[in-house]
Structures are given as C-alpha cells and as structure tokens.
Amino acid sequence: MASTTESVFNDAFGRALRTKNTRWRSSIRVEQTQVLQENPSHQPDILLSPEDSSPVILELEYLPARTVEKDAVSRLGKCLAENNKKIEHVFAIEIPKEFRTYEQSAIDSDILRCQFAFCVYSTTEFNEIERWPDDGWITGDIDDLCQCLEVVSLSESLILKSTDVLENGVSQAANLIKSSKKKVHENIANFLHQSPGDQTDRMAIAIIANALMFHSRLEGEQNIQLLSSLSVSTGLHKKSVIDCWRWIVNNVNYWPIFKIAADLLDVLPNKQANLVLNRLHDTASELAEIGATSLNDLSGRMFQRLISDRKFLATFYTRPESAALLAELIALRTKIDWKDADEVKNLRIGDFACGTGTLIGAMYHAILSQHRRRGCDDAMIHSSMINNSLLAFDIMPAATHLTASTVSNAHPNVVFDGTKIVTMPYGFNDQNIPQIGSLDLMIEQDTESLFSLGRGILRGLRDKDPNETITVRRNSLDVIIMNPPFTRPTTHDTAKLGIPVPSFAGFDTSRAEQYEMSRLLKGINSELRSKRKNGLIAGHGNAGLASNFLDLAHEKLAPDGHLAFVLPFTFTQGEAWRKSRQLIAENYQNVVVISVATSEVKGQAFSADTGMAEVLIIATKRESEDDEKAEDALFVNLNRRPQSLLEATTVARLIHELPESDGGLIQFSKCSNTNPIGSYALAPLNTGGCAGVSSVQTLVPVSRGICETKRIKLPRMLDYLDIGMTSLHEIGKRGLHHLDISGAPHEKDDEPRGPFEKPPVLLAEGDPPPLYPALWNHDASRERQLVVAPDRQCIVRPNCDARAIELWNTYATQLHINCDFSLKSQSLAMSITPAKSIGGRAWPNFVLNNREWEIPIVLWANSTLGLVSFWWMGTRQHQGRSMVQVSQHDKLVVLDPRTLTDIQLEKCNDIFNEFKERSFLPANQAHIDKTRKALDEAVLVKLLGHSSTILESVDLVRSSWCAEPSVRN
C-alpha cells in the first residue's frame, strides 16, 4: 500500500496554514535548511515567521509520535539566520496515522476537517522550558491550532522586557515634574478628571509616552515628520512636538492619540516639558531597538500590562487573560458569516465603562481573528470598525485615550475618520445640572460632543462636525462587554468620612452633587421601572452601580445580542442581586457563569490585583420576551484563572464545546486522563451555590437535594436519603438587624432607630445577671460548644423603655444564627444561649414558632449536612467565609422539627445534653473532627433512624467539603 511521507504531509499542512491568515501567506517555510543560525543544516518541519510577529516552529510526527516532543524542545532558544529573532515557542503536533494511507489528492481537504493533538513548548523569561498544557494534549482542528499560533506569536518575553523599559521611562519622566508648581499638578489633574498626585502625573506622562511611540511607528508616512527632525541642539522641544502633533490631528488622523497628549504637554512648563520629552524619546528609541514598536498590538499589550500593576496606577483593571476568555466566548457564539466583510463591519460592540479598553480591545481582536481565519485581510475592515462598530464610553479622559490607543494598535498605520469613543460628563455641568456618565444613556438615546454638552468624542479627523451626535438607541448593540464599577451608593465607613454617596464621589464631587446625582439615578430607575415588563429592573443600591450598568446594557442590547460582564461574586447569591439574576433568567438564554475555585485569595478575581472574588457572566438576549424560560444556566468553575492568553482562548473553546449534561469535569483533551482544569454544572441561575465549587460531582447533588428538592442524593448511593426538610420561614420569623437594636438617629432630633445604646457594654465574668443580655460579637475561642454565653449587656436609651421591652418580648430567644461564618476559625453555624438573649451584629436571633424546636435545629445546623447547606446558601465573596444576611435567614433549610415524633424530640434533648459540653474544631476541619463525626452519627442514625451504611457517604461529603478552596482557607 502506498504511504504518504511526513514531508509531503507537512507541505500540505503548510498550505492549509497559509489560508488561515493573510499575514502568513509569504512567511511559512516548510522543511527548509539555512533558517537557523546555530544549526544551518537542520530542517524545522514548519517555520512561521511573519514580519510583525515572533517566529514559531511546528514539529509534526505521525502517531505514535514518540520523538515529536524531543524534536520540539531541541528547537527552543535557537535564532533565525535572517534576523536573529529567537524561537520562544514550538508546537509539537501529532498527525493521525490514517494520513499515511490517504489519497494525496484528498489530504488538503482532510486537513481542514481533521482533529489534531498538540502541545506547546516555550522558554520563560528565566530561560526555563515550560510545556503547555502541563500534561496531556490539546485536541482541536486546524482553526483551533491557528488560534493558538496567533496568540503565542506575540513574544511574551518581549512584552515583559518592553513593559519594564516603558515603566522605568515613564516613572523617571514623571519624577522630572515633581518640582513643578502646585498649579501645574492641579491643571494636569483637572484635565484628566483625577485628584492631583503621583498617580495622576504618571498617567499624564504615560499618555505622552504613548503618543511618542505611536509617532515613531508613523514617522515618514503621510508626510509625518521624523521625531529626530523635531530635535534642536538640546533635543526635542515642546513647541515643535506640539505643533507636529496638532498638524497630524488636523491633516492625517489619530485625534484620540495625539490631541490629549498635545494638550497635556502644553500644560507642562517649557523646561520640564523638554526634559520629559527627551527622557521619553530615549525610552521610545530603546523600545524600537528591541523591536517593541514594530510589532502590531505590542504597545497596546505593554500598556495593559503596565496599568494592571497597581504599583503603577492605583486602579483595578480587567486582566488581559480574563478579557480574552470573555471575548472568545462571545465570538464563538456569534452567528454571522465571518468571511463576509459587510456582516463583520455591521457588528456593533459597546462598553459603557471602558477603562483602558482591555475588554473592548479583546473583543475587537477576537472579531478580527475570526475574520482572518476565513482567509480575509482584517486590515481592510479596520477603518470601518473603528469608525462605526466600536462604541466605548468612560468618565475619565485618560481612559478613553487608552481605549482608542488599544483598538488603534491592531493596525496603527490604517487611517480612520472618527471613533465612537466618548468621554462622558460627570457631576454638575455649567447649568448645575447633574450628569452621571454613561448611566445618563439609560433613558437618553444620543450623546453629543464636547463642544455642546461636555462629552468629548475622540475622533480621527478634526474637521468632523463639532456638534456630531452619537446615537445609542435601544436594542441597537450586538455585543455589550463590560467590567462596570462595583461601588455602592453608601457604606458606613464612607459616611463617617463625610462621603454621603461614594458611588458618585469621583472627581471630588461635592455633597450637593453626590445627592443630586443619586437623585437623578433614582429618577432614571423609576422611569425605567415604569417601562419594563413587571417593573423589573436590576439596579439596587446595595448591589452597587454594577447592577445599574446591567440595566443600561439590557436597554441597549439587541435581541439575540450577547452580554458579557465581570461582576462581583455576590451576584450569584446576594439578595441585592436577586433582581439582576431574575432579569437575566427571564430575558436571556445560554447563560454561563464562570468562577474560579481556588485557595489563592487574588486568584478568585478576574480583575487585576484585587482580593475580591468575581464571576464572568455570558448570556444571549432572547429574541422575544415570550420565549421559553426554563433553560438552566451553565456554571463553570475553573481550578485557576487563565494564566496566559493561550490558556484563556483554549479554555473558552472548551467551555463553548461542553456537552449538554447535568455536570462533569473539564479537561484539555477529551481522550486523556489528565488532571481536570475545572468542572461544570447545569442549574437554574438562582442556584448560585453552584459557583466556585470544586467538587461538583459530590457536593452539588447533596446541596441541591437539601436546599431545593428536600431529597438528598449522597455520593455512591442509588437511593435518595429522605429527611424531612423545611425553610426556616415556614416555622418561625427572622430576628433583627443589629441597627434595629442599637442604631442611632438618622438626624439629630429623630427618634433613634434602635432602643438600646451603641455599643453594648461588655459582660465581665462575675457580673450580676444583665437586664438585657446579648450575644453580639464573634470570639471563636469561646464558641466551640453548642452553648455560647452572652457577651454583652444592652443599655436602654433614655425614653426608650417601652420599645426595649417590646423588642425583648418579641425577639429574644436562645437560638442564634451565625451571620458571618468564618469557616477557618469558627465552629458553629447556629448556637444556643443558656437563657434568652438578644442577637447582635454577629449572632442575630431566630424566633421559632415553638421553642422546643430550637434544640433539633441547632443539632442539625452543626452537623456536616447542616454546615454544607449553610455554606451553599451563603455568599462566598471572601475566602473561608460564608455570609448569610439577616434578611436571608428565613430561607435557610433545616431539619423540619414538625416531622419529629415526641420520642424523637426527647431524643434530641438527650443528644444535646450529650454534646453540649463537647468542643468542636473549626468548621473547615470537620473531616478530622471526632465530635462532628459523632454528631453526624447521632443525628442521622440515632435520631432519624437511617442505616449506619450511609456514614461512609457522609464522610466523603465531609472530606470533599473541607477540601473546597472556599472552605479550607
């Protein structure tokens, strides 16, 4: 039988690659010698070396491919003979053995349909060799392989080196203006709408540096002067540079890049401006020498890396890897003909809080990549996309500048006429009318330019109509991708600092402005509520402005359009986010919630340098409000957030291709036994407990069984464990928020919110019995046993005796619920006080209809299944904590005491007496806690009468739960 050699196959594979990217057509070489400096006789199977990218080698071998990885490693670190570029990445690719016997005439078409297994070897900045994935192989077709090729062809080592150079240059240049007069710093701050300080100065210098780098890429084209020609004997001169940049703005384009930079440069004193320019020119020259200004999109990636480091700028930004994951998922579900340039150009992408453009930039790159993959030249659609397709808004001028820079960097040499990137007004305008940035567009359809309403449109050519209006009509955008601000309208800490409405405290707005802006948002919400079906809006004060941006997105997104948001983890469970979840559940389909189940504090966040857990939300708007709404959401829990753009884009594909099943593991390869990269579960969106769970297959069925179906599915058991379960609201009423006990008057002459003084007086050992005892704060060391003594005594405010007595008679109980359960230090989900007491900040009361039920409830709550259900229903925003607010206590699911016989109730008392003086370990040590295990056996076997054979399954649940990242740390 005739056999096709690997060299013939490689040649066909090279032909296929050339059809996938126009930049590759003349830059792919198959089995050529004289290409590597160190080994001229060696023949890499395929070398990809586009002029504007880092070179990549592909080594291919027929299965069983025993030497392909060795061959790949041998290529790493070698340099190209023609330009000395270093090989940083090599793909090892397994060729299905069937290709040996294929008709050669069919190989080209079969390559386009075949699935390949591959891995990538890379050199790190420390010259170490890394394999990705760590074990196993990625499985995908040639498009998937090309996606990975594009990602790795941007040199990570060059980005890191260039970012260091850029940061040093900007920091040193910023130091040069430190001695400027106070007025100079104030002018810079006013221009950028930021507070004066080092961070603001650094941002201004970074914008000027960015303009210089752009200039260095454009010089010589379209009559743009060389930077060197602007120099005098002392180097670059402020006036010459400003004049040149303003000429570029007036005669070429790039208003977003050069207009703000020229204006900032104009603010600086001449002497210092010249020093800054020359330091930054040296930086730009150094970047050019190492090749950082010649690669498409490298400067954009440099700035993203730079600004995501809060040592440089004290702000949170979306990590580029997170943005790539979100954008790729949207691109994969967008159903258009990606080869049709008109269809692509007709897409409308919006970001109403664009920051530095990370998200909309990632979305744009994902779109261009899809277009390239069909053999199209994406440079041909760049101008139209910038002019019409990308809509970005922010209240920070620096943010819109960097956004314009980010998207322009895809093809910096392509001229565009204008942009739809807008600096929105914030605070009082000249007529003392409040304006709240992009949220003004919730009801408005249009936004005008800087010259009329204070909104600055970053356009390409200056001769556009200064009164041009950008229209953002309802249901007009195909994609809205955002990481909205998370600030809440009020918090107790900021109120103490004299900031009444922190969500509107930006730009040093006055108290009057903050109140008026808040009032304006309330009015918009009211108008929106009147227009919406069932009056449903997402906006909620305790959820913060992010929920209002969700309303804005819903207004502007077209039917069948795609939503992509970064939101706080509390979205999954928080009561303030309930309407947001309802809005999505009722109006969207194919909902995906992505979280990270990791023990790393910062690893739970998709934004840079924050310890607050976050989720990614992806959803497609239903074409009709009457569409079927029973579809479950897909909860994806990654073991780590993507560590590279390569990993992010691959994980996006794996999520997109997940099978329709109740849940399972996510692996890089369908046919490998490698470690999973995450897990997934299908459940209603309101089942937020599914988020952030590592042991999905063990804990999700158990938890959902307890909290939803009231039928418990233990692992390794066919039959359900039937236990009478109920929600607390069916057998009692929740206690009071601590402010209803000791809250101060809102205003000086008002009646106090609570009848007791604040703070309550600490109880000392040996004190006489207090009139109003309270279990107020946490002290884990004294909360190891089921019975916890009160720690405070409440003192009645003057003239509040009647209210105090009423509160005591209505709410004082022995049963208390842990409001903020620290699983790593505290032992109890619920506790009993020796006698009735008032619940405080940490231990609110719960008032049962029958006091005899308190003991069975507290026994259940502190068993393993009780702990798991408490954790499941709580919000897990921070590691090692499960928070259940007082308002949610009546939704907790417990053993139903009404199903217990009198004999069982008596047995509860016996069990309680047996355990009340025994100490429990912290909850996250339940798997090694003999007392907890004994309590499980007492409740499930001795009290409820189940077979002891279930204890093995309960033990697995206990160990799995304690291994959960959100529990163990």
Side-chain angles (χ1 to χ4, degrees):
M1 182 181 294
S3 178
T4 299
T5 65
E6 285 181 2
S7 61
V8 171
F9 179 87
N10 292 344
D11 193 51
F13 202 82
R15 288 195 299 273
L17 292 177
R18 291 186 182 98
T19 69
K20 296 299 179 180
N21 190 322
T22 55
R23 301 175 190 172
W24 296 352
R25 289 174 183 170
S26 59
S27 55
I28 286 178
R29 282 171 278 183
V30 180
E31 297 201 10
Q32 287 189 354
T33 59
Q34 308 298 319
V35 295
L36 299 178
Q37 279 185 5
E38 296 87 343
N39 309 100
S41 62
H42 284 197
Q43 296 176 241
D45 287 348
I46 297 177
L47 170 64
L48 171 64
S49 58
E51 183 180 348
D52 60 356
S53 299
S54 179
V56 182
I57 284 177
L58 291 78
E59 290 294 330
L60 301 91
E61 186 177 335
Y62 282 123
L63 283 169
R66 293 188 179 92
T67 64
V68 69
E69 291 187 80
K70 180 181 177 181
D71 292 342
V73 171
S74 71
R75 307 300 188 195
L76 280 174
K78 303 296 189 291
C79 295
L80 296 188
E82 61 182 358
N83 54 24
N84 202 39
K85 284 185 178 180
K86 185 178 178 181
I87 305 297
E88 297 179 19
H89 304 281
V90 182
F91 281 67
I93 304 171
E94 294 180 336
I95 310 170
K97 57 186 177 183
E98 291 80 10
F99 276 99
R100 284 186 183 274
T101 56
Y102 278 1
E103 285 291 331
Q104 290 189 1
S105 60
I107 287 180
D108 286 39
S109 58
D110 287 335
I111 283 174
L112 299 178
R113 293 191 295 266
C114 182
Q115 293 280 308
F116 297 92
F118 61 91
C119 65
V120 184
Y121 280 93
S122 305
T123 54
T124 70
E125 58 180 315
F126 305 109
N127 289 322
E128 297 172 342
I129 296 176
E130 286 185 348
R131 185 189 193 274
W132 184 87
D134 296 334
D135 57 356
W137 297 74
I138 301 296
T139 303
D141 61 19
I142 193 166
D143 283 337
D144 302 323
L145 176 64
C146 288
Q147 176 71 36
C148 295
L149 267 172
E150 282 194 0
V151 171
V152 303
S153 64
L154 187 62
S155 169
E156 284 295 320
S157 66
L158 186 55
I159 291 175
L160 290 170
K161 185 176 180 180
S162 303
T163 302
D164 288 341
V165 171
L166 179 60
E167 181 175 358
N168 289 336
V170 170
S171 297
Q172 291 171 15
N175 287 333
L176 295 172
I177 64 172
K178 269 192 172 181
S179 60
S180 298
K181 293 180 180 179
K182 182 180 178 182
K183 186 64 177 176
V184 172
H185 298 287
E186 289 175 348
N187 287 340
I188 292 172
N190 289 335
F191 194 89
L192 295 179
H193 296 181
Q194 297 175 202
S195 300
D198 291 344
Q199 297 287 340
T200 300
D201 290 345
R202 202 174 291 166
M203 175 56 87
I205 299 301
I207 290 171
I208 295 171
N210 190 41
L212 279 170
M213 285 196 297
F214 241 84
H215 192 152
S216 68
R217 291 201 66 174
L218 299 172
E219 56 186 8
E221 297 188 16
Q222 303 185 63
N223 297 318
I224 293 175
Q225 288 181 268
L226 302 178
L227 278 170
S228 58
S229 70
L230 303 177
S231 297
V232 293
S233 58
T234 55
L236 289 177
H237 190 272
K238 169 183 171 179
K239 184 177 183 306
S240 300
V241 173
I242 290 175
D243 287 346
C244 180
W245 286 355
R246 287 177 175 162
W247 181 90
I248 295 173
V249 167
N250 288 329
N251 296 280
V252 187
N253 68 3
Y254 304 107
W255 174 288
I257 310 301
F258 295 109
K259 173 64 169 63
I260 186 174
D263 289 345
L264 281 169
L265 191 56
D266 208 13
V267 167
L268 302 181
N270 291 341
K271 182 178 179 180
Q272 288 172 319
N274 294 342
L275 291 172
V276 164
L277 282 171
N278 285 291
R279 180 63 192 91
L280 294 179
H281 189 210
D282 290 343
T283 300
S285 299
E286 190 174 351
L287 290 169
E289 286 177 12
I290 61 177
T293 58
S294 62
L295 303 188
N296 278 7
D297 193 41
L298 183 58
S299 61
R301 296 280 173 85
M302 270 193 298
F303 267 93
Q304 292 306 321
R305 194 69 67 92
L306 188 64
I307 60 184
S308 67
D309 180 358
R310 294 191 73 236
K311 292 180 294 184
F312 186 76
L313 289 177
T315 308
F316 297 127
Y317 294 95
T318 313
R319 298 176 72 246
E321 297 85 358
S322 306
L325 172 59
L326 202 55
E328 284 297 325
L329 278 166
I330 295 298
L332 288 168
R333 68 166 61 187
T334 300
K335 294 180 174 62
I336 66 168
D337 182 354
W338 288 107
K339 190 171 184 177
D340 189 324
D342 290 333
E343 280 198 49
V344 178
K345 289 188 291 186
N346 284 333
L347 287 172
R348 294 293 178 267
I349 319 297
D351 184 345
F352 293 99
C354 63
T356 57
T358 307
L359 281 167
I360 198 167
M363 191 69 244
Y364 183 41
H365 282 283
I367 288 169
L368 295 183
S369 179
Q370 291 287 343
H371 190 52
R372 280 196 301 272
R373 199 74 65 252
R374 274 69 182 178
C376 304
D377 185 354
D378 54 292
M380 302 300 294
I381 64 172
H382 179 68
S383 178
S384 178
M385 296 292 291
I386 298 292
N387 292 343
N388 303 307
S389 297
L390 307 177
L391 289 79
F393 307 83
D394 205 284
I395 60 175
M396 306 286 286
T400 48
H401 162 85
L402 289 172
T403 296
S405 174
T406 296
V407 297
S408 300
N409 262 305
H411 292 284
N413 299 324
V414 175
V415 175
F416 52 88
D417 294 333
T419 75
K420 287 182 168 56
I421 300 173
V422 185
T423 306
M424 298 295 289
Y426 189 84
F428 282 173
N429 64 11
D430 293 340
Q431 291 79 42
N432 284 332
I433 297 173
Q435 297 171 304
I436 54 175
S438 297
L439 293 176
D440 276 329
L441 296 172
M442 199 114 60
I443 302 300
E444 288 185 26
Q445 301 297 321
D446 303 332
T447 178
E448 298 178 54
S449 75
L450 173 66
F451 303 98
S452 54
L453 289 179
R455 298 173 172 89
I457 298 174
L458 296 178
R459 50 186 96 258
L461 294 175
R462 187 173 181 173
D463 58 3
K464 303 283 284 187
D465 179 4
N467 294 311
E468 177 193 4
T469 296
I470 288 181
T471 299
V472 192
R473 301 203 180 280
R474 190 171 185 269
N475 299 336
S476 64
L477 300 182
D478 300 293
V479 175
I480 296 179
I481 186 167
M482 289 181 65
N483 186 349
F486 292 175
T487 48
R488 294 188 294 172
T490 184
T491 66
H492 301 303
D493 292 337
T494 51
K496 292 176 185 176
L497 297 174
I499 303 173
V501 191
S503 55
F504 293 121
F507 299 176
D508 295 324
T509 50
S510 66
R511 292 176 64 90
E513 284 179 298
Q514 292 175 39
Y515 281 125
E516 287 301 314
M517 294 163 77
S518 179
R519 189 173 291 116
L520 173 60
L521 180 58
K522 289 178 182 177
I524 290 174
N525 284 339
S526 178
E527 185 175 348
L528 202 60
R529 192 177 288 109
S530 67
K531 293 180 177 180
R532 292 261 180 95
K533 183 179 179 181
N534 302 326
L536 178 62
I537 66 169
H540 191 290
N542 289 336
L545 287 183
S547 62
N548 300 110
F549 276 95
L550 193 56
D551 275 322
L552 173 60
H554 182 62
E555 285 296 295
K556 303 304 180 184
L557 194 63
D560 209 32
H562 307 300
L563 187 76
F565 263 58
V566 183
L567 290 175
F569 193 89
T570 48
F571 168 85
T572 62
Q573 289 282 70
E575 174 61 16
W577 286 97
R578 180 172 56 83
K579 292 291 183 67
S580 295
R581 295 192 296 271
Q582 185 181 349
L583 179 75
I584 292 177
E586 293 187 1
N587 296 280
Y588 292 79
Q589 58 191 1
N590 298 326
V591 180
V592 180
V593 181
I594 303 175
S595 58
V596 185
T598 178
S599 57
E600 295 180 19
V601 175
K602 292 182 180 180
Q604 293 179 300
F606 291 100
S607 299
D609 197 28
T610 171
M612 184 172 66
E614 295 171 320
V615 293
L616 303 180
I617 308 296
I618 303 97
T620 300
K621 196 173 184 180
R622 299 181 191 275
E623 293 196 37
S624 169
E625 292 183 350
D626 298 325
D627 287 350
E628 182 66 35
K629 300 177 177 62
E631 188 179 79
D632 285 339
L634 172 65
F635 288 87
V636 173
N637 305 318
L638 301 176
N639 293 342
R640 69 180 188 187
R641 62 187 183 185
Q643 301 298 295
S644 65
L645 296 177
L646 175 62
E647 186 170 314
T649 53
T650 303
V651 168
R653 176 174 62 85
L654 294 176
I655 292 172
H656 182 71
E657 295 174 351
L658 284 175
E660 294 185 6
S661 64
D662 290 339
L665 300 177
I666 305 174
Q667 293 176 289
F668 278 128
S669 175
K670 300 181 180 69
C671 57
S672 72
N673 295 317
T674 56
N675 292 328
I677 62 171
S679 57
Y680 69 98
L682 284 173
L685 183 58
N686 232 19
T687 311
C690 288
V693 178
S694 177
S695 300
V696 163
Q697 293 171 307
T698 299
L699 294 177
V700 169
V702 172
S703 302
R704 292 191 67 187
I706 296 172
C707 300
E708 294 176 30
T709 65
K710 311 299 190 290
R711 301 183 70 207
I712 303 173
K713 185 67 174 69
L714 289 176
R716 301 173 183 160
M717 295 189 66
L718 289 175
D719 297 330
Y720 285 89
L721 187 66
D722 287 317
I723 297 176
M725 309 294 296
T726 187
S727 298
L728 279 176
H729 71 83
E730 295 182 358
I731 57 174
K733 65 179 180 180
R734 65 181 178 85
L736 294 175
H737 189 280
H738 67 93
L739 291 179
D740 292 320
I741 299 171
S742 63
H746 289 293
E747 299 293 341
K748 183 177 181 182
D749 296 326
D750 288 351
E751 185 180 65
R753 178 171 171 178
F756 295 101
E757 294 285 357
K758 181 184 179 183
V761 177
L762 186 66
L763 275 176
E765 188 174 350
D767 285 350
L771 183 60
Y772 294 106
L775 182 55
W776 199 269
N777 289 327
H778 275 306
D779 181 352
S781 64
R782 61 185 296 274
E783 297 167 2
R784 298 293 181 216
Q785 299 175 348
L786 297 176
V787 179
V788 180
D791 63 336
R792 306 277 169 149
Q793 56 176 313
C794 294
I795 306 301
V796 181
R797 296 180 190 271
N799 304 316
C800 288
D801 290 88
R803 290 178 59 201
I805 293 170
E806 180 185 9
L807 185 152
W808 175 267
N809 290 333
T810 306
Y811 291 102
T813 65
Q814 288 179 262
L815 182 65
H816 297 262
I817 298 178
N818 191 338
C819 201
D820 182 6
F821 197 173
S822 176
L823 304 168
K824 57 187 177 181
S825 62
Q826 297 161 13
S827 303
L828 307 176
M830 295 187 190
S831 68
I832 291 279
T833 49
K836 289 199 300 183
S837 64
I838 297 171
R841 179 188 291 269
W843 287 104
N845 297 92
F846 196 88
V847 185
L848 294 171
N849 297 337
N850 185 336
R851 286 192 60 190
E852 289 185 355
W853 297 342
E854 290 184 338
I855 285 177
I857 296 299
V858 83
L859 292 175
W860 170 264
N862 291 297
S863 70
T864 293
L865 297 183
L867 294 179
V868 169
S869 64
F870 190 102
W871 163 81
W872 178 263
M873 299 188 72
T875 57
R876 305 190 291 270
Q877 185 74 22
H878 299 285
Q879 285 282 40
R881 288 184 181 273
S882 181
M883 302 178 65
V884 181
Q885 299 173 343
V886 179
S887 61
Q888 300 301 297
H889 283 179
D890 54 6
K891 295 180 182 178
L892 288 170
V893 177
V894 296
L895 173 69
D896 189 347
R898 298 170 300 183
T899 64
L900 300 178
T901 65
D902 290 342
I903 294 176
Q904 286 177 309
L905 287 172
E906 186 61 36
K907 190 170 288 186
C908 285
N909 293 328
D910 294 340
I911 295 172
F912 179 75
N913 288 328
E914 178 188 349
F915 280 89
K916 68 179 181 180
E917 294 182 358
R918 295 178 66 172
S919 295
F920 292 85
L921 294 176
N924 70 344
Q925 298 179 43
H927 62 305
I928 58 172
D929 188 348
K930 294 180 180 179
T931 304
R932 191 86 60 183
K933 293 179 180 181
L935 179 63
D936 288 339
E937 183 175 2
V939 170
L940 295 172
V941 179
K942 296 177 182 178
L943 174 63
L944 298 178
H946 293 287
S947 169
S948 60
T949 58
I950 71 169
L951 295 178
E952 182 179 335
S953 293
V954 173
D955 188 58
L956 177 58
V957 171
R958 190 188 302 114
S959 298
S960 298
W961 182 68
C962 290
E964 278 295 313
S966 63
V967 175
R968 69 174 184 259
N969 289 322

